Amino acid sequence: MATTADATERRDALVERLSTDAIGAFDLLSVYLGDVLGLYRALADEGPLTSAELVEAAGIHERYAREWLEHQAASSLLELEPNGDARRYRLPEGHDEALLDTSSLSYIAPLARSFAGAVKPLETLVAAFRSGEGVPYADYGDDLHEGQAAFSKPLYQNLLTKELAAGRARDPRAPAGRPAGARRRRRLRPGPLQH
């Protein structure tokens, strides 16, 4: 039997965890905006930038540029460089790889795109829980599909291709054309359960 103190500790831990998760979800959505609108790319190519300079570089509205930059700085995704009245924002060293380098194993920006796609059909998913029907994969849209592809690409390029190349090393004892470690397949003879 749990004591009141144990229940209070579990409750508080849950509230803290879900609060942190909610903040993380909002951060992912702001990363999504920075990715699809090219805001990180503009900062990497031309930064540090003021909100007005980001408007020019990315073609977005100044109000949203300012709010996005402030959120990014408050979340430590960007760094603020105060310079008198001009507030300049820059991509911290290392963040450029995580947010822009599509060949890096640290490329995490597509996760934000997948997250945005995963919540797209939320109302349809709620209805499916009630009706028992499914939610077509296509309803999740391009963000989920393209986010998954972009997230998997560096894994394929950096890890899987190396594994495949290593598997092509030849065993001198194996018959010509058979990769190292490959076993000869037995031929199956039709038995009573095979048709």
Side-chain angles (χ1 to χ4, degrees), residues 168-186:
R168 291 193 180 126
R170 301 288 172 206
D171 181 345
R173 297 168 294 160
R178 188 179 300 160
R183 294 187 179 147
R184 185 179 179 145
R185 293 186 180 177
R186 317 183 279 149

Side-chain angles (χ1 to χ4, degrees), residues 23-44:
I23 291 167
F26 285 115
D27 282 345
L28 280 175
L29 292 173
S30 73
V31 168
Y32 170 81
L33 292 171
D35 183 33
V36 301
L37 293 172
L39 307 180
Y40 294 122
R41 174 57 54 206
L43 285 161

Side-chain angles (χ1 to χ4, degrees), residues 4-193:
T4 303
D6 290 341
T8 301
E9 287 175 17
R10 284 196 304 270
R11 178 206 62 209
D12 291 349
L14 177 64
V15 168
E16 183 176 340
R17 185 186 116 213
L18 293 179
S19 295
T20 301
D21 290 349
I23 291 167
F26 285 115
D27 282 345
L28 280 175
L29 292 173
S30 73
V31 168
Y32 170 81
L33 292 171
D35 183 33
V36 301
L37 293 172
L39 307 180
Y40 294 122
R41 174 57 54 206
L43 285 161
D45 291 348
E46 301 182 30
L49 299 174
T50 64
S51 60
E53 292 166 339
L54 183 61
V55 166
E56 290 298 316
I60 61 172
H61 193 277
E62 202 278 331
R63 173 184 156 213
Y64 289 108
R66 186 177 61 252
E67 290 179 8
W68 182 82
L69 287 166
E70 291 290 340
H71 173 267
Q72 294 286 290
S75 296
S76 298
L77 294 165
L78 296 179
E79 290 179 344
L80 175 61
E81 292 184 354
N83 185 9
D85 290 340
R87 296 169 63 90
R88 293 188 174 281
Y89 301 84
R90 69 177 185 86
L91 215 53
E93 194 172 315
H95 288 205
D96 53 343
E97 180 181 349
L99 296 170
L100 294 167
D101 186 350
T102 61
S103 65
S104 171
L105 289 172
S106 298
Y107 184 47
I108 196 70
L111 187 60
R113 195 160 188 191
S114 292
F115 175 74
V119 298
K120 184 177 181 183
L122 199 53
E123 290 181 19
T124 306
L125 184 60
V126 169
F129 265 75
R130 291 190 173 114
S131 69
E133 295 178 7
V135 177
Y137 187 66
D139 286 3
Y140 290 90
D142 291 341
D143 283 328
L144 182 68
H145 312 146
E146 292 174 12
Q148 285 178 329
F151 189 74
S152 299
K153 180 183 170 187
L155 297 171
Y156 174 79
Q157 289 176 327
N158 292 294
L159 300 177
L160 184 59
T161 53
K162 289 177 185 171
E163 292 295 320
L164 290 173
R168 291 193 180 126
R170 301 288 172 206
D171 181 345
R173 297 168 294 160
R178 188 179 300 160
R183 294 187 179 147
R184 185 179 179 145
R185 293 186 180 177
R186 317 183 279 149
R187 290 192 180 183
L188 295 177
R189 294 192 178 104
L193 299 178

